[in-house]
Amino acid sequence: MTGSTPMKLHRLLPILLLAASFTLQAQIQVEPESARRTTEALLDHLDRGEFAKAHAMFDATMQAAISESQLRQVWQSLGAADERSGSRIEAQGQGHISQTVLQRADSRWVATVNIAADGKIAGLWVKPILASQPAPAIPADAPYSETETRIGDAATALPATLAMPKGKGPFPAVVLVHGSGPHDRDETIGPNRPFLDIARALAAEGIAVLRYDKRTKARPGDYAQGITIDSETTNDALAAVAHLRTLPGIDGARLFVLGHSQGGMMAPRIGLRDDKIAGVSFPNRQTLHK
């Protein structure tokens, strides 16, 4: 919200953002595709100004927490709808959680929707995607360099950065794989850039590191027809590994994948899809070597 937003609207946001999903859920498992359709229907109603229809999709707890008028006021404060990415769906209990990136004229938001087992909306959160500050420059005496590159097919390639040790190679190399949600190549979270820190620390120790903007961040329009775990995470990680094999100074027999959160969960799958990967690793776990 901007500084011109009325104070009473700021008091409404916590209601919307923190509306609890404590409704008793029926013992029926909502299918992911059904949850996706429910999310799209809700966001369609909201973007079209059909607030009565959107409000009718809420469960009793949500309807008691926020009125149709309050919902209208909050949603319209985001600005006119521009476009949105395909929704990412994750199971939670008997229901599902979806996340969708909303593009407005001068801002971007993540809408998180809790779909209960009975198909009702049990929670709705809207969080701004804040612009990040430029990455810090490489120290003049750093024993590595960074170059910009791209991974994947030319038409849908993702921007990436290769941190390369100085000196005589070939060097072992690591691909960094993001957690869930839209992330840049540094996995920027507030003032923190964990992937940048990892990449530069490893490069200083003689290990090349490739990091890239996640597709949900760089090209959300690619998910117009829906999203899967492979299209979100696995396929691009494999493309990054394949790209490393084409680069001079890289030891193709010593390529590793390091995943964070969802990226760590998918690291074994990435390794199974490419039997030439030397090993996969994720924080607080032992590296798995083939």
Side-chain angles (χ1 to χ4, degrees):
M1 302 300 165
T2 65
S4 61
T5 305
M7 183 59 69
K8 64 180 181 179
L9 180 54
H10 284 292
R11 290 199 295 266
L12 292 178
L13 276 175
I15 298 175
L16 183 64
L17 304 183
L18 301 177
S21 56
F22 299 136
T23 304
L24 292 178
Q25 299 181 353
Q27 300 302 309
I28 303 173
Q29 182 69 44
V30 177
E31 294 299 325
E33 190 55 37
S34 176
R36 191 184 312 280
R37 290 194 298 269
T38 298
T39 297
E40 291 174 354
L42 174 68
L43 297 178
D44 282 345
H45 288 324
L46 291 170
D47 284 345
R48 293 170 184 164
E50 300 168 348
F51 297 104
K53 292 181 179 179
H55 195 261
M57 297 180 70
F58 290 174
D59 67 8
T61 301
M62 280 287 289
Q63 288 183 346
I66 183 168
S67 69
E68 178 188 333
S69 175
Q70 291 169 332
L71 178 63
R72 175 186 292 105
Q73 191 176 8
V74 170
W75 199 260
Q76 289 180 342
S77 73
L78 303 182
D82 189 350
E83 63 180 19
R84 63 178 188 253
S85 70
S87 300
R88 181 176 63 84
I89 308 294
E90 291 185 359
Q92 177 165 298
Q94 295 291 321
H96 285 79
I97 295 289
S98 71
Q99 287 190 318
T100 308
V101 175
L102 311 175
Q103 179 66 55
R104 297 305 194 245
D106 56 358
S107 61
R108 298 174 75 229
W109 304 76
V110 174
T112 302
V113 181
N114 185 341
I115 304 100
D118 60 2
K120 290 289 188 179
I121 304 301
L124 174 62
W125 298 258
V126 184
K127 182 175 69 173
I129 301 174
L130 302 177
S132 59
Q133 297 299 314
I138 299 173
D141 59 349
Y144 60 88
S145 62
E146 287 187 338
T147 56
E148 298 301 296
T149 185
R150 298 179 71 82
I151 65 162
D153 296 334
T156 58
L158 299 176
T161 299
L162 175 68
M164 190 75 171
K166 294 178 179 178
K168 185 178 180 180
F171 299 103
V174 173
V175 169
L176 301 183
V177 184
H178 320 74
S180 60
H183 288 289
D184 63 20
R185 71 197 71 184
D186 296 335
E187 208 175 40
T188 303
I189 304 174
N192 303 307
R193 296 172 177 268
F195 274 13
L196 179 145
D197 294 338
I198 292 171
R200 292 182 176 179
L202 290 177
E205 297 297 325
I207 301 171
V209 181
L210 182 61
R211 63 192 195 273
Y212 54 92
D213 289 346
K214 195 174 178 183
R215 190 165 299 277
T216 46
K217 170 77 171 180
R219 297 182 56 86
D222 290 349
Y223 299 107
Q225 302 303 315
I227 188 170
T228 67
I229 192 64
D230 284 337
S231 66
E232 180 187 4
T233 298
T234 313
N235 297 343
D236 291 326
L238 290 167
V241 172
H243 181 72
L244 279 175
R245 291 197 180 101
T246 70
L247 301 179
I250 298 295
D251 185 350
R254 292 189 292 166
L255 301 183
F256 296 83
V257 169
L258 189 156
H260 169 234
S261 187
Q262 180 174 287
M265 293 174 61
M266 298 308 297
R269 178 175 177 83
I270 295 165
L272 287 172
R273 291 269 301 272
D274 185 338
D275 60 9
K276 294 181 180 179
I277 292 175
V280 299
S281 181
F282 29 105
N284 300 322
R285 304 276 183 172
Q286 185 176 4
T287 300
L288 304 178
H289 295 274
K290 293 184 177 178

